[in-house]
C-alpha cells in the first residue's frame, strides 16, 4: 500500500487529494515547511483554509509537529514514530540555517531535561539553534 495512504488510514483520516499531496510534500522534504511552501508546492490547487485544516489535523494526529520561527510564524516537520494523537515526543533540536534559511530537525540532538517546580507542568520544550547546515558548510 502507498505509504501516504497507509499513514492516513493508520491515523483514521480520510484519504483526500489534499491530504495525499500535502503529506507527500513532507515525506519528500529534507527540512521543515512553512504554510507558504506548501501552498506553492501544491501549485495553489488547495485554498489556504484547506491547507491550514490539513496541517492542523496532521499536528493533532501526531503526524507532523510545529517549529517556532524568529518572526513568530510556524514551520512544520514530520514526527517520528513515537508521536501519536495528542502526544508529541519530538524532543530534539531544530537548526535554522543562517545561509539558506531552511529549518532542520536534528533528531540525534536531544533537548536538555528541564526541571520545573512541582506547581508547574511542562507541555512542550522547544530548542531552536541558528547556524549553518551541512549543505551550506560543504559549498
Amino acid at each position: 500500500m502507498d505509504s501516504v495512504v497507509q499513514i492516513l488510514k493508520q491515523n483514521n483520516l480520510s484519504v483526500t487529494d489534499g491530504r495525499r499531496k500535502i503529506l507527500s510534500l513532507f515525506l519528500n522534504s529534507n527540512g521543515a515547511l512553512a504554510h507558504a511552501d506548501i501552498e506553492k508546492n501544491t501549485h495553489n490547487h488547495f485554498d489556504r483554509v484547506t491547507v491550514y485544516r490539513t496541517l492542523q489535523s496532521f499536528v493533532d494526529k501526531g503526524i507532523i509537529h510545529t517549529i517556532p520561527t524568529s518572526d513568530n510564524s510556524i514551520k512544520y516537520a514530520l514526527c517520528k514514530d513515537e508521536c501519536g494523537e495528542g502526544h508529541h515526543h519530538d524532543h530534539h533540536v531544530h537548526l535554522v540555517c543562517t545561509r539558506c534559511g531552511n529549518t532542520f530537525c536534528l533528531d540525534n540532538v536531544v533537548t536538555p531535561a528541564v526541571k520545573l517546580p512541582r506547581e508547574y507542568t511542562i507541555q512542550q520544550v522547544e530548542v531552536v539553534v541558528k547556524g549553518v547546515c551541512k549543505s551550506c558548510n560543504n559549498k
Side-chain angles (χ1 to χ4, degrees), residues 88-108:
H88 287 277
H89 300 288
D90 287 304
H91 300 292
H92 58 265
V93 172
H94 297 100
L95 179 115
V96 177
C97 182
T98 56
R99 290 191 187 162
C100 67
N102 290 326
T103 302
F104 302 92
C105 293
L106 302 178
D107 296 318
N108 296 327

Side-chain angles (χ1 to χ4, degrees), residues 1 3-15 23:
M1 182 186 302
S3 62
V4 171
V5 173
Q6 183 178 0
I7 291 169
L8 292 173
K9 286 186 177 187
Q10 284 174 344
N11 286 281
N12 298 316
L13 291 169
S14 303
V15 179
L23 186 53

Side-chain angles (χ1 to χ4, degrees), residues 69-71 93-98 128-133:
T69 64
S70 60
D71 64 355
V93 172
H94 297 100
L95 179 115
V96 177
C97 182
T98 56
V128 178
V129 176
K130 291 185 180 180
V132 180
C133 71

Side-chain angles (χ1 to χ4, degrees), residues 56-67:
Q56 191 57 51
S57 67
F58 287 176
V59 168
D60 292 344
K61 293 290 187 175
I63 298 170
I64 61 175
H65 63 277
T66 59
I67 304 166

Side-chain angles (χ1 to χ4, degrees), residues 27-63:
L27 292 171
N28 294 314
S29 174
N30 290 326
L33 300 171
H35 192 281
D37 298 328
I38 295 163
E39 285 183 338
K40 181 177 131 186
N41 287 307
T42 57
H43 308 291
N44 297 318
H45 289 303
F46 310 106
D47 61 68
R48 289 181 72 83
V49 174
T50 299
V51 173
Y52 175 78
R53 286 183 180 156
T54 299
L55 292 172
Q56 191 57 51
S57 67
F58 287 176
V59 168
D60 292 344
K61 293 290 187 175
I63 298 170

